[in-house]
């Protein structure tokens, strides 16, 4: 996976086929998880989701899955009534919008699928969809972070070190390594943690490089307007 770079066609990176396949599949899985736990209709179509402002009715329910709770957190932690009212007014549209952008992300990067945004190993993100693309990566990372038991920046930093050590990019501080049969606090064994940790880190790398390029363009545009 290479970082995104700004080009006349949009923001372009090169992802290996397996990277595109895995991230597309995970994004669709997150979309399905969110749709189910947020109470969106089982037969919802992409067209319905895209028209989130009018497609759905009913009372929004508090998600039961901790991962979905990260995607749809309480708006007010200290006032349950305010949080419930805000959830009632906004959750359905918010959840539907997230489902739409996760599916759009998957279509863009899917190797050999319907996504017109990828060819010859390239993933091309149009400028007008870059923020939605980055938002989908955020949602993927939030869910994976919950599954990996990441609660703060220190946990994320430790996971990054684990992944980079496994790739041989940094030296291993623990010469003996982890017991492959031992599970961590999240219930993952070493192989599972390595796999999902790698997906988490890859999604973060893609998101950070895309946002860096997008912000650089915005700053350059602002300087041009001031001159």
């Amino acid at each position: 996976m290479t970082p995104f770079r700004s080009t006349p066609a949009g923001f372009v990176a090169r992802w290996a086929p397996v990277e595109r396949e895995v991230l597309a599949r995970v994004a669709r899985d997150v979309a399905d998880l969110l749709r189910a736990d947020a109470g969106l209709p089982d037969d919802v179509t992409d067209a319905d989701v895209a028209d989130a402002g009018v497609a759905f009715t009913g009372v929004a329910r508090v998600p039961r899955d901790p991962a979905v709770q990260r995607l749809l957190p309480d708006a007010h932690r200290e006032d349950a009534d305010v949080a419930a009212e805000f959830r009632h007014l906004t959750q359905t549209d918010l959840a539907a919008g997230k489902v739409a952008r996760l599916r759009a992300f998957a279509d863009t990067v899917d190797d050999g699928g319907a996504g017109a945004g990828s060819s010859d190993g390239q993933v091309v993100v149009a400028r007008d969809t870059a923020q939605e693309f980055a938002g989908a990566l955020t949602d993927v990372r939030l869910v994976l972070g919950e599954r990996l038991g990441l609660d703060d920046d220190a946990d994320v930093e430790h996971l990054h070190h684990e992944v980079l050590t496994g790739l041989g990019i940094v030296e291993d501080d623990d010469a003996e390594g982890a017991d492959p049969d031992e599970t961590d606090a999240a219930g993952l064994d070493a192989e599972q943690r390595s796999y999902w940790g790698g997906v988490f880190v890859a999604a973060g790398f893609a998101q950070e490089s895309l946002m860096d390029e997008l912000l650089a363009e915005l700053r350059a545009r602002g300087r041009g307007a001031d001159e």
Side-chain angles (χ1 to χ4, degrees), residues 1-6 11-16 19-20 23-24 105 108-109 123-125 129-138 140-141 160 197-215:
M1 177 181 287
T2 66
F4 279 98
R5 291 292 180 257
S6 178
F11 301 104
V12 179
R14 287 190 177 276
W15 294 8
E19 293 167 338
R20 290 154 61 181
L23 283 169
F105 168 91
T108 298
V109 305
V123 175
V124 182
V125 181
T129 63
Q131 292 191 41
E132 291 296 294
F133 190 96
L137 284 166
T138 296
V140 166
R141 281 168 54 82
H160 272 255
V199 177
F200 179 89
V201 170
F205 175 79
Q207 179 194 41
E208 183 176 0
S209 69
L210 177 59
M211 291 307 300
D212 283 348
E213 291 295 290
L214 181 60
L215 291 173

Side-chain angles (χ1 to χ4, degrees), residues 162-170:
E162 285 184 37
V163 172
L164 295 180
T165 297
L167 294 173
I169 297 175
V170 298

Side-chain angles (χ1 to χ4, degrees), residues 42-205:
D42 291 339
D43 59 350
V44 61
T45 66
D46 286 346
D48 292 332
V49 172
D51 194 15
V54 298
F56 309 112
T57 59
V59 178
R61 67 189 186 202
V62 178
R64 288 169 289 187
D65 191 313
V68 179
Q69 290 174 13
R70 290 197 181 193
L71 298 178
L72 302 170
D74 285 335
H76 200 298
R77 295 183 178 181
E78 298 179 359
D79 192 321
D81 291 336
V82 170
E85 180 65 14
F86 190 84
R87 190 178 294 278
H88 171 71
L89 293 173
T90 66
Q91 176 170 290
T92 299
D93 288 353
L94 178 60
K98 285 178 177 288
V99 169
R101 74 183 185 186
L102 284 160
R103 290 177 175 174
F105 168 91
D107 287 343
T108 298
V109 305
D110 200 7
D111 184 26
S118 56
S119 62
D120 298 329
Q122 289 188 338
V123 175
V124 182
V125 181
R127 283 176 170 78
D128 60 352
T129 63
Q131 292 191 41
E132 291 296 294
F133 190 96
L137 284 166
T138 296
D139 291 340
V140 166
R141 281 168 54 82
L142 284 170
V143 170
L144 291 178
E146 172 61 34
R147 297 294 190 248
L148 287 161
L150 307 180
D151 294 324
D152 52 35
D153 290 343
D155 290 340
V156 173
E157 184 176 347
H158 182 71
L159 177 68
H160 272 255
H161 182 78
E162 285 184 37
V163 172
L164 295 180
T165 297
L167 294 173
I169 297 175
V170 298
E171 293 184 2
D172 190 354
D173 295 332
D174 182 3
E176 296 183 359
D179 183 344
D181 297 323
E182 184 178 352
T183 59
D184 62 11
L188 302 176
D189 62 30
E191 183 176 354
Q192 292 170 326
R193 183 173 177 82
S194 176
Y195 178 85
W196 291 115
V199 177
F200 179 89
V201 170
F205 175 79

